[in-house]
Amino acid sequence: EKPLKHIALRSKSVRSGDRPYTTPGLGDRCHSLLLAYQYGKAHNSPVTIHLTDDKWSVAGGVKSSKKKKSWFELLSLFPHDTVYVEPHPVENLSEVDWIKYLKSKGIDAYIYHYADTIHMHPNETRVGIEMSQYVKELPLLKPTVSNGWFPDEFITAQWDSTDPRRRLSKKVIREIEESYSGVVLRVGGEGQGLLKDSIPHIGLAMSLATHHIGSDSGMMHIAQLYKKYEDIHIYDTQDSYRSHHLVRAINNGSKYYKV
């Protein structure tokens, strides 16, 4: 029986103000699991991620099972018994109170920070685990499904970011896609069939594609499970917000173009 390690996702936002951090997007949830998996691999140990309830049973301020379903679907992408998720019936606690709460339940959990982007977040403190060291290289997971027909040479692409500042015109997108050889398979919101709705099948496509291209959004995070940084190319508008995820990806080798 390997010892289990415990990571507590921050209760509060590190970006601005006194707001809860709710893992609102698919990318946030995927990234959290990637961190846990990489940390566990480095320490030869399974990892449980502990969540405040607003990351689990609330979406857009109302009770919802949307995030639960998403967590389970994302968990299914990782090797069995490597990463677990445990929600708790508390939310919007200070980090100190959140860790105290977990201690009161007999859970010795650590918060984490990123040394490589700490300058970007006024609320981020150098506590717990320094996590950016564990994602300098990506895991290249094996897909969990194998059924699907794919062209001999293709790329995957996603452009429909939920952030309007990251959206490009159809003309620009067409020019970008035509600069790659092979077929373009759209994934996520603009995908068709399983490439729209099934994260495991999207992962399969990404693992076989020469590149993943598109916006800094949820699909970029899925791509990071299956591809090397240098095979993920991010395109952006001139005035968009650059997330710490994007800054880290660029620093680790992803190509980045402002168009």
Side-chain angles (χ1 to χ4, degrees):
E1 193 78 340
K2 291 178 185 171
L4 188 63
K5 292 201 178 286
H6 298 277
I7 291 174
L9 289 204
R10 283 182 186 257
S11 171
K12 299 277 196 180
S13 166
V14 292
R15 241 175 88 182
S16 57
D18 182 33
R19 297 180 313 166
Y21 170 52
T22 62
T23 61
L26 175 76
D28 298 299
R29 298 185 284 276
C30 181
H31 176 71
S32 304
L33 292 169
L34 168 65
L35 293 180
Y37 177 71
Q38 293 290 84
Y39 180 72
K41 206 165 58 167
H43 291 86
N44 193 25
S45 165
V47 174
T48 297
I49 299 178
H50 296 273
L51 309 176
T52 50
D53 194 46
D54 46 16
K55 299 175 183 61
W56 179 254
S57 67
V58 180
V62 293
K63 283 280 179 200
S64 164
S65 59
K66 181 185 153 194
K67 287 181 189 172
K68 287 179 199 178
K69 284 193 181 117
S70 175
W71 280 113
F72 284 124
E73 188 171 29
L74 290 166
L75 275 168
S76 77
L77 304 176
F78 291 86
H80 193 55
D81 290 338
T82 55
V83 191
Y84 305 96
V85 166
E86 190 176 329
H88 298 270
V90 294
E91 57 185 80
N92 206 14
L93 300 176
S94 72
E95 304 310 332
V96 172
D97 288 341
W98 170 218
I99 292 295
K100 269 188 188 155
Y101 167 85
L102 291 170
K103 279 238 187 330
S104 77
K105 301 276 177 238
I107 298 162
D108 193 14
Y110 290 90
I111 290 176
Y112 56 84
H113 67 281
Y114 307 96
D116 61 351
T117 54
I118 204 143
H119 59 283
M120 296 177 67
H121 301 134
N123 299 353
E124 189 167 11
T125 46
R126 291 181 186 270
V127 294
I129 302 159
E130 195 296 293
M131 201 53 99
S132 61
Q133 63 186 305
Y134 297 107
V135 286
K136 288 210 182 326
E137 295 198 350
L138 294 170
L140 302 175
L141 293 183
K142 288 192 168 46
T144 54
V145 291
S146 56
N147 56 323
W149 177 89
F150 293 98
D152 287 342
E153 189 179 3
F154 68 97
I155 61 170
T156 55
Q158 184 214 9
W159 303 103
D160 59 329
S161 169
T162 50
D163 182 347
R165 290 173 301 178
R166 293 175 181 159
R167 286 198 203 128
L168 307 176
S169 72
K170 285 196 162 58
K171 177 176 176 287
V172 168
I173 289 170
R174 192 168 61 243
E175 286 169 1
I176 293 167
E177 289 182 343
E178 284 171 358
S179 72
Y180 290 83
S181 56
V183 180
V184 178
L185 294 183
R186 296 275 178 94
V187 290
E190 298 174 319
Q192 300 289 315
L194 291 171
L195 295 186
K196 181 186 180 77
D197 299 318
S198 168
I199 301 271
H201 287 86
I202 290 168
L204 173 64
M206 287 171 166
S207 73
L208 299 169
T210 58
H211 298 89
H212 173 73
I213 71 169
S215 309
D216 166 16
S217 65
M219 290 298 130
M220 175 186 84
H221 288 281
I222 303 289
Q224 288 182 351
L225 304 181
Y226 298 99
K227 305 216 77 58
K228 295 176 176 167
Y229 281 113
E230 57 262 36
D231 296 328
I232 301 171
H233 299 177
I234 305 303
Y235 292 83
D236 214 345
T237 58
Q238 292 297 334
D239 57 350
S240 76
Y241 168 76
R242 279 171 54 160
S243 70
H244 70 101
H245 301 295
L246 177 55
V247 170
R248 183 170 303 107
I250 296 164
N251 290 344
N252 287 321
S254 283
K255 298 268 191 299
Y256 177 63
Y257 304 94
K258 284 202 164 196
V259 290

